[in-house]
Amino acid sequence: MKKTGLLLICLGLALTNCKKRDVEITPGDLEQIVVDIDRLKEEVDGSFLIDTDSVEVIILETNPECLIGNVKKVHLRKNKILVYDELTLSVFVFNRDGSFHGKIQATGSGPGEYPPTINDMVIMDSTVGVFVPVLDKIMLYDFNGNYICDISLNGSWGMTFFTFDGSKYHIVNDWSDSKLGRYQHFMLDTNKNRIECFLPFTKMKGINRGWGLENYYSLYNDHALTLNSTIDIIYEVLPNKKITPRYYVNIIKNRLPQVLIEGDPHVALDIAIKEGYLKGVHKIMETSRYLILDISLKFRVVYDKAKKEVIATGDVFLIPEFGGFPIYLRSSQATMENDVLINALNPEIIRHVYIDAFTNKTIKNKDFAKKYLGAVSKVKDDDNPVLIIYKMK
């Protein structure tokens, strides 16, 4: 009884820390990322983004224990490669040479198992966090697939999370309600058993709005950048819990009208699709030098943080030195972290689509040609994805 009472007191204290933080933001006061659709090019020379002399091509082992259905994210951790498969709700762990090591796959209703209604799987330094808001918890597993423990969300809700130190969890929401309210960002401190709630922008009157994004945050070094759909402001999150507006994405043409943005999200999304409006930033990635924004899943914008200007707006980023082979900056084919870009490519595509380009064009970079053609000769169409790993400039 004493333990139960203490838990209720702690939870009560946690809930009292949820205070709405409305901040009046003037876009003109923020660093602007200008998106001009008139500058859009179908193909862009992407050589300025990557070190063309440092490219890895890794074939992931294919066997009945590790059949990958739909790659969501790929991460490198020391000597391991971890692939989050959204179809099987699993994380497959491979050694750095591509050989299979193990997996986190525990769907079910028993002890240490998670239901098939998870929101995300997050790869940390030595653990995998399975994000299960329907059970009000994050479930932790080691890279061998062993269950470690649960972390209570204390009534918060989100679509994903990140952590700087493994003790404070930043839970990033879309527009969903929770037991604590419709906040966009929760900070869960497991050491103090408390949670803080943030609504970093001015809340608009009326019904809920917004829609899903490809991803809600980008981690780089000691900070994170977060997105909220239909709001063209990118927020910076620091380890000390400070959340501040950092950039304003100024889409100067073909932007979804504000009256629709502030209205019914279903109507807004339907009209945006029919009329071809740009709905805003769908995905964000950051490197030491650049911000890469996916605009409404239609094209990519590369922003130079040092120059404070957009230096490329395009759909496909090609590498002439590689015979016109593309680097992917969109969808689940691209994971960016710590100045490393990881592309996960279907063997069927690289065997039948790009091989024609290699036979008809001159490939100046012989090292890449050797690695790529070597992979093509070893994989079959129905094998696991082939990873191409680039170092960013």
Side-chain angles (χ1 to χ4, degrees):
M1 287 297 292
K2 288 183 179 180
K3 289 184 179 180
T4 302
L6 181 60
L7 179 61
L8 291 174
I9 292 172
C10 290
L11 183 58
L13 289 172
L15 299 183
T16 60
N17 282 289
C18 293
K19 300 176 182 179
K20 186 172 75 174
R21 291 160 171 80
D22 283 356
V23 179
E24 194 66 40
I25 298 167
T26 304
D29 296 336
L30 303 178
E31 189 172 329
Q32 292 204 18
I33 302 175
V34 178
V35 178
D36 184 356
I37 196 171
D38 289 340
R39 295 182 59 186
L40 174 62
K41 295 181 180 179
E42 184 176 348
E43 294 184 352
V44 175
D45 182 348
S47 303
F48 70 95
L49 285 170
I50 67 167
D51 179 356
T52 55
D53 292 326
S54 180
V55 180
E56 292 182 72
V57 179
I58 298 178
I59 301 171
L60 298 181
E61 180 182 343
T62 303
N63 69 51
E65 285 292 301
C66 60
L67 296 177
I68 300 172
N70 183 23
V71 176
K72 180 68 174 178
K73 302 173 188 173
V74 182
H75 296 275
L76 304 179
R77 293 293 182 270
K78 297 180 181 178
N79 63 339
K80 293 291 185 288
I81 299 168
L82 296 102
V83 180
Y84 170 26
D85 180 5
E86 195 174 34
L87 183 64
T88 63
L89 300 182
S90 309
V91 170
F92 294 105
V93 184
F94 297 86
N95 297 311
R96 203 62 174 78
D97 62 359
S99 59
F100 179 59
H101 172 79
K103 60 186 174 182
I104 294 91
Q105 188 176 49
T107 51
S109 56
E113 295 180 330
Y114 50 85
T117 51
I118 69 171
N119 283 21
D120 202 0
M121 287 189 172
V122 177
I123 313 299
M124 292 169 279
D125 287 341
S126 59
T127 57
V128 173
V130 181
F131 195 54
V132 198
V134 293
L135 297 182
D136 195 41
K137 64 177 65 173
I138 297 169
M139 303 180 70
L140 296 183
Y141 299 81
D142 65 24
F143 289 172
N144 293 317
N146 300 313
Y147 168 71
I148 301 173
C149 68
D150 291 351
I151 297 172
S152 173
L153 297 178
N154 282 344
S156 61
W157 183 276
M159 302 310 295
T160 187
F161 72 89
F162 61 87
T163 179
F164 295 110
D165 57 9
S167 63
K168 298 182 180 67
Y169 291 82
H170 291 264
I171 301 163
V172 189
N173 197 10
D174 54 4
W175 298 94
S176 302
D177 207 351
S178 72
K179 294 179 182 178
L180 307 184
R182 187 170 282 143
Y183 293 94
Q184 301 302 125
H185 194 109
F186 300 92
M187 204 290 291
L188 174 64
D189 189 333
T190 58
N191 292 329
K192 298 180 180 179
N193 193 29
R194 60 183 288 178
I195 192 164
E196 295 191 55
C197 311
F198 299 89
L199 191 65
F201 47 83
T202 301
K203 187 175 183 180
M204 294 183 177
K205 295 181 180 179
I207 60 176
N208 187 23
R209 60 193 176 92
W211 40 73
L213 300 171
E214 179 68 21
N215 72 342
Y216 292 80
Y217 70 92
S218 179
L219 277 175
Y220 180 74
N221 280 352
D222 57 352
H223 77 281
L225 297 178
T226 65
L227 292 172
N228 298 112
S229 58
T230 73
I231 289 180
D232 294 325
I233 295 173
I234 298 172
Y235 295 87
E236 183 177 56
V237 183
L238 300 176
N240 63 4
K241 303 180 297 184
K242 189 176 182 181
I243 300 177
T244 56
R246 184 69 177 83
Y247 302 95
Y248 172 60
V249 183
N250 185 6
I251 300 176
I252 61 177
K253 283 189 177 181
N254 211 32
R255 178 71 168 96
L256 188 66
Q258 196 67 23
V259 66
L260 293 175
I261 290 174
E262 297 176 16
D264 188 313
H266 302 290
V267 172
L269 188 57
D270 182 60
I271 294 177
I273 294 171
K274 290 180 179 177
E275 302 297 328
Y277 285 118
L278 299 177
K279 302 185 294 295
V281 184
H282 191 81
K283 178 176 181 176
I284 181 172
M285 296 189 292
E286 184 176 17
T287 74
S288 57
R289 183 170 179 179
Y290 303 111
L291 293 182
I292 301 171
L293 308 179
D294 203 332
I295 307 296
S296 299
L297 284 180
K298 294 189 179 219
F299 57 90
R300 266 51 59 195
V301 168
V302 180
Y303 180 77
D304 190 313
K305 295 187 293 184
K307 295 181 179 179
K308 297 188 176 182
E309 65 180 15
V310 171
I311 59 173
T313 302
D315 183 14
V316 181
F317 287 74
L318 304 175
I319 309 299
E321 190 176 332
F322 295 170
F325 193 84
I327 56 172
Y328 288 93
L329 301 173
R330 60 181 174 84
S331 73
S332 59
Q333 291 170 310
T335 302
M336 182 90 73
E337 58 181 10
N338 299 325
D339 285 331
V340 172
L341 172 65
I342 308 171
N343 283 173
L345 301 183
N346 188 315
E348 186 176 7
I349 293 176
I350 67 170
R351 276 167 48 84
H352 300 290
V353 177
Y354 298 126
I355 195 67
D356 293 335
F358 275 85
T359 56
N360 295 325
K361 296 181 181 179
T362 301
I363 309 169
K364 295 180 180 179
N365 191 305
K366 301 304 180 184
D367 181 61
F368 177 77
K370 180 181 178 181
K371 292 175 181 176
Y372 174 79
L373 294 174
V376 168
S377 67
K378 294 177 183 177
V379 297
K380 299 187 291 292
D381 288 356
D382 56 354
D383 279 353
N384 276 334
V386 174
L387 303 185
I388 304 184
I389 303 173
Y390 306 95
K391 286 185 179 180
M392 306 299 290
K393 287 183 178 177

